[in-house]
Amino acid sequence: MDWIKDIGKTFVYITTGSLISAAIFITIFAPESVLTYHILWQIAGLSLICALGNLIFYSPREYGKKQMWVRRIIHYVYVNLVIIVGGYLCEWLETGFFPEILYLLVVVAIIYFAIMYLIFQKDAKIADTLNRKLSRRGSSEEDEN
């Protein structure tokens, strides 16, 4: 059930990054636009679809570094496709307007790597905490013997 928590946390990270990048995007490319509540549902929906992409990383068995990198690449491509296709379907992008697509690709990269960094930091902190607890447990067991 930890995977559900992970997807939920990733959803929150993606939604936050998407809202900030949407505000910047609209300010740069469409400052005269009038938005409706639909954009909030679109952002939430695309964020959920992107977060569900984390299922690529779940496996009943462990895998090596090479397979992990392959999964990361597949995941990154998946997220980009979701955002670009979703951007067209939600009419955020105009066909053939390259600066908008380039902006989205850059923003997706920034958000993606920021989220990866946050998750890496969280995992490292958990591993450090577990290692300290195991070290203390090992020391107390040695003292008893």
Side-chain angles (χ1 to χ4, degrees), residues 23-43:
I24 295 168
F25 182 86
I26 292 165
T27 301
I28 294 170
F29 294 109
E32 71 287 344
S33 66
V34 177
L35 303 175
T36 66
Y37 66 91
H38 294 101
I39 193 168
L40 299 174
W41 288 111
Q42 293 165 351
I43 289 172

Side-chain angles (χ1 to χ4, degrees), residues 3-15 51 54 115 119 122 126:
W3 62 272
I4 294 173
K5 283 183 188 178
D6 290 341
I7 288 174
K9 287 177 187 175
T10 303
F11 170 76
V12 170
Y13 295 151
I14 293 169
T15 303
N54 283 4
I115 290 171
I119 291 171
K122 178 190 68 104
I126 290 170

Side-chain angles (χ1 to χ4, degrees), residues 38-75:
H38 294 101
I39 193 168
L40 299 174
W41 288 111
Q42 293 165 351
I43 289 172
L46 289 178
S47 295
L48 180 59
I49 293 169
C50 286
L52 289 173
N54 283 4
L55 293 173
I56 291 168
F57 296 109
Y58 295 101
S59 172
R61 60 184 177 82
E62 290 201 28
Y63 35 84
K65 275 187 172 184
K66 185 177 180 181
Q67 190 175 15
M68 183 59 156
W69 276 106
V70 168
R71 288 177 188 237
R72 282 187 182 138
I73 291 167
I74 291 169
H75 186 256

Side-chain angles (χ1 to χ4, degrees), residues 71-110:
R71 288 177 188 237
R72 282 187 182 138
I73 291 167
I74 291 169
H75 186 256
Y76 183 73
V77 170
Y78 167 82
V79 168
N80 277 285
L81 286 173
V82 167
I83 297 303
I84 298 299
V85 171
Y88 279 113
L89 293 175
C90 295
E91 299 178 352
W92 300 345
L93 300 171
E94 294 177 23
T95 306
F97 192 57
F98 185 72
E100 288 179 349
I101 296 170
L102 183 61
Y103 173 82
L104 272 181
L105 292 174
V106 169
V107 167
V108 167
I110 291 168

